[in-house]
């Protein structure tokens, strides 16, 4: 009878699977009477599956990727097949556009036409989704009274023109979705949904915070910057430099292999010397380059919206580089903190320090699993 009982027992666990270019992360969470409990988590580097080093960004085909995921599930003792997978931002398009405020049916005709201008492939090849971004003035002040004067900036639109609304457009290539469905099939994963990593990262970081917030995801090959305000995505920007460039700089400077340089990077970061070399001097320019660009994006937004950014969260494996937050703080004119997405889950006390340390890397997978639990 025990097995029969098991058969009907409600499944309370879900996994969040973040397929990054340099490493794949998984987390398994369980819901127990409203509490969110960490069951297990793990990570596996992609490089070695293509005879490349740990920390290197590689593009794995669905077959090898599925093998890696199966290995990861085994290693991390994953016990459920129910969950969600993130779609990389680079395989999607996230853009906000201004359109005239029109009735819903007219807007539904107009947005795909406008979206075409930003989508480099035929519109029939993508899955398109969009939503009107709530007018911040309305949210802050309540609905505007007809003809009531207001002192807040109107975003540069002339009053004589038609009122404009901002629309967030999300497009994913259908081939990308097919690939992920194939991976789910090969790994036996029952994917409840696919979600662009940006939205997962946002869920894990925001805590219902509605102020202007920046999330900086320091991945291996690129750094993704997203600005959120009033709980929705306002802007996304990708910087073509990432944590892998730090490893490459070490390899060049010390004349060692990528693998060796990766090892050194994780040990010494920006704060120690290697022989007579001050690693901070070698590496800070890369980190400064990245954060100067982050700052630029942020300042532009602040100017356009007359809003000040309240917090900058650092996530992604690159954020684990020792000394990086300090350099980031120098370059960015807003409070900078490391993401601590594990705060959202209950875990054994003895894991506290390690979870704090690796937290930023798991932001996307945690965000996915949190939504997975909501949808149980
Ligand atoms: N302890 C550490 N110290 C310094 N750097 C680290 C540490 N752990 C991981 N990294 C770096 O983090 C990077 C990988 O980060 P992450 O796993 O977030 O990237 P990814 O998700 O694979 O990339 P992407 O999101 O761009 O596809 C690598 O460059 C790696 O060297
Ligand atoms: Mg990533």
């Amino acid at each position: 009878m025990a097995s029969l009982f098991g058969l009907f027992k409600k499944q309370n666990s879900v996994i969040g699977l973040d397929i990054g270019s340099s490493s794949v992360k998984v987390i398994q969470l369980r819901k127990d009477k409203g509490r969110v409990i960490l069951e297990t988590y793990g990570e596996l580097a992609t490089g070695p599956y293509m005879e490349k080093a740990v920390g290197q960004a590689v593009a794995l085909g669905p077959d090898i990727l599925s093998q890696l995921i199966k290995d990861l599930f085994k290693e991390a003792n994953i016990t459920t097949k129910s969950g969600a997978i993130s779609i990389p931002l680079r395989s999607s398009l996230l853009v906000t556009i201004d359109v005239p405020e029109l009735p819903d049916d007219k807007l539904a005709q107009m947005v795909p036409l406008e979206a075409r201008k930003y989508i480099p492939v035929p519109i029939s090849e993508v899955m398109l989704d969009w939503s009107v971004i709530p007018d911040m003035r309305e949210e802050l002040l309540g609905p505007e009274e007809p003809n009531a004067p207001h002192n807040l900036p109107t975003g540069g639109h002339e009053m004589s023109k038609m009122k404009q609304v901002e629309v967030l457009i999300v497009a994913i290539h259908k081939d990308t979705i097919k690939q992920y469905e194939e991976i789910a099939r090969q790994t036996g994963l029952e994917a409840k949904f696919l979600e662009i990593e940006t939205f997962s990262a946002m869920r894990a970081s925001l805590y219902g915070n509605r102020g202007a917030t920046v999330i900086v995801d320091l991945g291996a090959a690129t750094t993704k910057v997203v600005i959120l305000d009033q709980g929705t995505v306002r802007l996304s920007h990708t910087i073509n430099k990432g944590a892998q460039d730090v490893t490459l700089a070490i390899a060049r400077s010390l004349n060692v292999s990528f693998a060796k340089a990766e090892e050194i990077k994780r040990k010494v970061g920006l704060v120690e010397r290697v022989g007579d070399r001050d690693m901070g001097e070698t590496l800070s320019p890369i980190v400064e380059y990245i954060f100067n660009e982050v700052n630029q994006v942020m300042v532009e937004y602040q100017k356009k919206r007359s809003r000040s950014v309240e917090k900058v969260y650092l996530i992604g494996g690159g954020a684990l580089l020792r000394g990086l937050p300090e350099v980031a703080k120098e370059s960015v004119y807003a409070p900078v903190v490391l993401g601590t997405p594990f705060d959202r889950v209950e875990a054994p006390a003895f894991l506290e320090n390690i979870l704090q340390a690796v937290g930023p890397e798991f932001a996307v997978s945690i965000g996915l699993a949190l939504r997975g639990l909501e949808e149980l």
Side-chain angles (χ1 to χ4, degrees), residues 102-319:
L102 295 165
D104 283 355
D105 55 331
K106 289 275 185 326
L107 210 54
Q109 283 173 358
M110 178 164 199
V111 169
L113 293 175
E114 282 297 308
R116 256 188 213 179
K117 296 179 191 163
Y118 300 87
I119 298 171
V121 296
I123 203 103
S124 60
E125 290 178 19
V126 302
M127 291 241 319
L128 189 70
D129 198 3
W130 56 276
S131 61
V132 174
I133 296 178
D135 186 339
M136 271 199 283
R137 277 174 295 129
E138 275 180 26
E139 232 190 270
L140 295 170
L141 298 175
E144 224 175 282
E145 288 192 23
N147 305 322
H150 55 72
N151 303 322
L152 283 168
T154 55
H157 308 310
E158 288 168 36
M159 294 305 278
S160 59
K161 282 193 192 153
M162 220 173 159
K163 195 182 169 206
Q164 302 273 302
V165 290
E166 244 187 310
V167 171
L168 175 69
I169 294 176
V170 180
I172 305 169
H173 204 285
K174 285 178 184 165
D175 286 350
T176 303
I177 293 171
K178 275 206 203 104
Q179 265 178 33
Y180 282 77
E181 283 170 352
E182 174 59 18
I183 290 163
R185 196 188 61 76
Q186 287 198 31
T187 54
L189 187 68
E190 191 195 308
K192 294 159 166 294
F193 57 88
L194 302 172
E195 178 173 72
I196 299 173
E197 57 183 333
T198 312
F199 295 98
S200 320
M202 173 176 140
R203 189 175 305 104
S205 309
L206 269 195
Y207 295 97
N209 181 354
R210 306 202 39 92
T213 308
V214 179
I215 298 179
V216 181
D217 182 349
L218 291 128
T222 64
T223 300
K224 288 151 273 180
V225 187
V226 52
I227 300 189
L228 313 156
D229 208 342
Q230 303 296 116
T232 52
V233 173
R234 304 282 159 159
L235 186 153
S236 107
H237 176 83
T238 301
I239 302 170
N240 281 323
K241 261 202 196 322
Q244 180 179 252
D245 294 292
V246 173
T247 312
L248 289 168
I250 296 175
R252 264 197 310 269
S253 149
L254 301 177
N255 198 19
V256 293
S257 67
F258 187 99
K260 184 71 194 161
E262 180 75 17
E263 233 177 79
I264 295 171
K265 177 175 87 169
R266 294 189 188 206
K267 217 163 89 214
V268 309
L270 299 172
V271 294
E272 279 177 37
R273 300 179 78 83
V274 179
D276 60 351
R277 303 269 180 134
D278 177 348
M279 291 324 273
E281 236 164 64
T282 312
L283 306 176
S284 293
I286 302 170
V287 179
E288 280 163 12
Y289 175 96
I290 292 173
F291 283 97
N292 283 335
E293 198 162 325
V294 170
N295 196 56
Q296 218 173 309
V297 173
M298 195 181 91
V299 167
E300 261 168 52
Y301 178 84
Q302 296 191 137
K303 243 197 243 155
K304 191 171 168 210
R305 302 285 157 190
S306 304
R307 296 270 290 165
S308 43
V309 167
E310 291 174 5
K311 210 166 250 180
V312 179
Y313 290 100
L314 306 182
I315 62 163

Side-chain angles (χ1 to χ4, degrees), residues 18-25 43 46 54-57 88 90 197 217-224 242-247 258 262 265-267 269 315-322 357-358 360-362 364:
D18 169 16
I19 306 177
S21 57
S22 75
S23 95
V24 180
K25 292 78 132 173
E43 178 194 11
T46 53
V54 169
Q56 245 174 310
R90 65 173 177 282
E197 57 183 333
D217 182 349
L218 291 128
T222 64
T223 300
K224 288 151 273 180
Q244 180 179 252
D245 294 292
V246 173
T247 312
F258 187 99
E262 180 75 17
K265 177 175 87 169
R266 294 189 188 206
K267 217 163 89 214
I315 62 163
L320 306 183
L321 188 68
R322 288 173 61 201
V358 300
E361 255 192 308
F362 286 86
V364 170

